Amino acid sequence: MSIQIFILGALSEGNYYPYDIKKRIGKHLDQTDAKITEGTIYYNFEVLLKKGLIEKVETIQTENRPDKTTYGITEKGRQSLEESIYKVFQKFTNVQSLYAALVNLDKVDNQKIAYLIEDIIDKMKKKIEYIELHTPEQMDTKGDLKDALLLMRDHAYQSIQSDINWLEKLLKHVQRRVAKD
């Protein structure tokens, strides 16, 4: 899904070859451990083409080289891009799941995105509250198991708190975008 959002987002700005999109995605993913192969890119182009979200614009044929096809986004693709970005926020699983949507915030209603981020933050804060309610003293275990559970609890708490902090920064960024509009 995120690769398709990257592809649709890039094509919403102009017509490109799949290899050009691969290079653009690579720039965004250099900060992560994810690596995108050409096979993955071409597969996703085919999926988007079959769904009618993109279309072939031009095919250039040269001797001793494979055909080079330029693609563009369709109106259905533009609608799908917007819906997909909203869906990523609605089905939030982790911060990394938002990366493809973040580079396409200019293609959606940022007021709606701000609302979705606030909802995510509220849900994450409820998780923090749940963890805080379940104190180590309430655990009916001893020894290594209790130590392991305490470590896992601490890790969960720290990870969620870190995500909340990042989401609050993102919310401020999106709210600034709304204020400019």
Side-chain angles (χ1 to χ4, degrees), residues 37-103:
T37 66
E38 283 189 43
T40 302
I41 292 293
Y42 283 100
Y43 169 79
N44 281 281
F45 264 84
E46 285 301 313
V47 168
L48 293 169
L49 191 61
K50 287 178 184 175
K51 290 181 180 179
L53 304 180
I54 63 173
E55 61 189 357
K56 292 181 180 180
V57 175
E58 178 184 23
T59 301
I60 299 171
Q61 299 173 335
T62 56
E63 281 188 42
N64 301 325
R65 300 210 61 163
D67 292 351
K68 198 171 182 181
T69 304
T70 304
Y71 294 85
I73 192 169
T74 63
E75 188 55 39
K76 183 179 175 183
R78 288 184 194 285
Q79 292 170 353
S80 178
L81 172 62
E82 189 173 338
E83 291 167 10
S84 296
I85 291 169
Y86 292 136
K87 195 178 291 183
V88 164
F89 281 91
Q90 290 165 339
K91 296 186 175 192
F92 175 82
T93 54
N94 59 51
V95 168
Q96 291 84 355
S97 69
L98 301 178
Y99 287 176
L102 291 180
V103 297

Side-chain angles (χ1 to χ4, degrees), residues 24 32 42 49 121:
R24 287 179 69 141
T32 69
Y42 283 100
L49 191 61
I121 292 170

Side-chain angles (χ1 to χ4, degrees), residues 158-169:
Q158 297 297 326
S159 295
I160 294 168
Q161 190 59 57
S162 175
D163 286 352
I164 290 171
N165 294 340
W166 185 87
L167 287 161
E168 287 173 342
K169 287 179 188 176

Side-chain angles (χ1 to χ4, degrees), residues 132-181:
E132 289 173 342
L133 286 174
H134 295 83
T135 63
E137 294 78 30
Q138 294 173 327
M139 295 181 186
D140 190 27
T141 57
K142 293 184 171 52
D144 289 343
L145 178 58
K146 185 171 186 172
D147 291 344
L149 291 172
L150 288 170
L151 287 167
M152 287 186 276
R153 178 183 177 274
D154 183 57
H155 178 261
Y157 183 91
Q158 297 297 326
S159 295
I160 294 168
Q161 190 59 57
S162 175
D163 286 352
I164 290 171
N165 294 340
W166 185 87
L167 287 161
E168 287 173 342
K169 287 179 188 176
L170 175 60
L171 179 59
K172 286 178 184 174
H173 170 76
V174 170
Q175 288 170 334
R176 281 193 301 271
R177 293 174 64 90
V178 170
K180 287 181 184 177
D181 293 341

